[in-house]
């Protein structure tokens, strides 16, 4: 049951009016409600909600209010709402503005992606657009290093046959697959989602996404060898060369280890 943004906002408004006042955390939240930034993240924010999906809500409160709220609530847990009796299950997490600012500094593609795709229910001072814009500009400065790090993790998979420990092989494979699912987007300067949505988002956003995902499934189904690795390497190298990371990485990879 994919939800458009207006529908999601209405769900949150309805919850805040009808059920939030009955939650134990409400007396501690009430003073901050008019001033808080209220954001929906997760599956409801990106149109992937299904029956049973959680409604994930972030309340970002002014820094000057947060310490007193924590003290009155007896700690962070006293401010959070976890309403399992509601359909859909509602999670409300309360955090200070400075935490959001620390996350949006450009070196965390997942946090940037999350906040590029939130549903904004309330933003009294219209702060979020400026924070996201600044983080997006900073992110572009980090892209070359992020691409180099992910490419290194991917290419290291070619040595997996040398590992004598199966657990180590699985760690290498996991890192390599996550790198492959994020590299095509990072290489063209786009942030990516957290692991839960990485394969879906790559298919949605990149012309070769489905092909890459299919080859990743093959790596999981078969024992990784140089032969099963090579088709994926060719695709990733082609993508990097196309967006002009080729000379810096593909053609001089081993010099950069």
């Amino acid at each position: 049951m994919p939800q458009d943004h207006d529908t999601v906002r209405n769900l949150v408004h309805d919850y805040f009016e009808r059920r939030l006042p009955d939650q134990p955390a409400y007396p501690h939240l009430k003073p901050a409600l008019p001033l808080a930034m209220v954001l929906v993240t997760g599956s409801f924010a990106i149109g992937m909600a299904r029956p049973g999906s959680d409604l994930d809500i972030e309340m970002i409160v002014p820094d000057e209010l947060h310490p007193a709220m924590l003290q009155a609530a007896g700690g962070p847990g006293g401010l959070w709402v976890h309403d399992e009796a509601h359909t859909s299950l509602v999670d409300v997490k309360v955090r200070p503005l400075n935490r959001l600012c620390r996350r949006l500094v450009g070196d965390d593609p997942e946090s940037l992606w999350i906040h590029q795709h939130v549903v904004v229910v309330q933003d009294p001072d219209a702060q979020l657009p400026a924070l996201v814009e600044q983080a997006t500009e900073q992110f572009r400065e980090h892209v070359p290093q992020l691409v180099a790090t992910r490419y290194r993790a991917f290419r290291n998979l070619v040595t997996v046959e040398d590992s004598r420990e199966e657990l180590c092989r699985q760690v290498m494979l996991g890192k390599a697959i996550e790198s492959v699912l994020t590299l095509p987007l990072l290489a063209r300067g786009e942030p990516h989602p957290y692991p839960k949505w990485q394969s879906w988002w790559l298919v949605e956003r990149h012309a070769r996404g489905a092909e890459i995902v299919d080859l990743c499934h093959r790596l999981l189904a078969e024992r990784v060898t140089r032969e099963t690795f090579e088709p994926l390497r060719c695709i990733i190298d082609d993508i990097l060369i196309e967006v002009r990371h080729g000379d810096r990485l593909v053609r001089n990879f081993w010099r950069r280890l």
Side-chain angles (χ1 to χ4, degrees), residues 167-254:
L167 181 59
C168 295
R169 293 169 62 89
Q170 293 302 315
V171 170
M172 292 174 68
L173 179 58
K175 288 183 176 180
I177 287 178
E178 182 168 13
S179 296
V180 166
L181 295 177
T182 57
L183 266 170
L185 301 178
L186 284 173
R188 65 188 192 192
E190 297 181 26
H192 58 76
Y194 43 99
K196 180 178 180 179
W197 302 111
Q198 284 171 0
S199 60
W200 163 73
W201 190 249
L202 181 63
V203 172
E204 290 287 310
R205 296 287 295 178
H206 201 282
R208 304 194 74 174
E211 187 179 4
I212 291 169
V213 169
D214 285 345
L215 287 170
C216 287
H217 283 299
R218 181 183 173 190
L219 287 181
L220 289 170
E222 303 175 12
R223 189 171 181 84
V224 179
T225 65
R226 294 176 189 272
E227 288 71 29
T228 56
F229 171 81
E230 191 62 17
L232 201 48
R233 184 197 65 78
C234 290
I235 292 175
I236 295 300
D237 285 358
D238 286 348
I239 289 172
L240 293 178
I241 290 169
E242 181 181 353
V243 293
R244 300 182 180 179
H245 287 280
D247 288 336
R248 189 174 61 84
L249 281 177
V250 175
R251 297 191 178 100
N252 297 294
F253 169 67
W254 296 110

Side-chain angles (χ1 to χ4, degrees), residues 51-65:
S53 295
D54 296 353
L55 180 58
D56 297 307
I57 303 170
E58 287 190 2
M59 271 187 63
I60 310 298
V61 302
D63 295 333
E64 62 271 17
L65 294 183

Side-chain angles (χ1 to χ4, degrees), residues 153-166:
F154 165 58
R155 286 291 297 267
N156 280 340
L157 188 62
V158 78
T159 67
V160 71
E161 291 179 293
D162 300 330
S163 174
R164 298 178 182 179
E165 297 290 336
E166 181 60 27

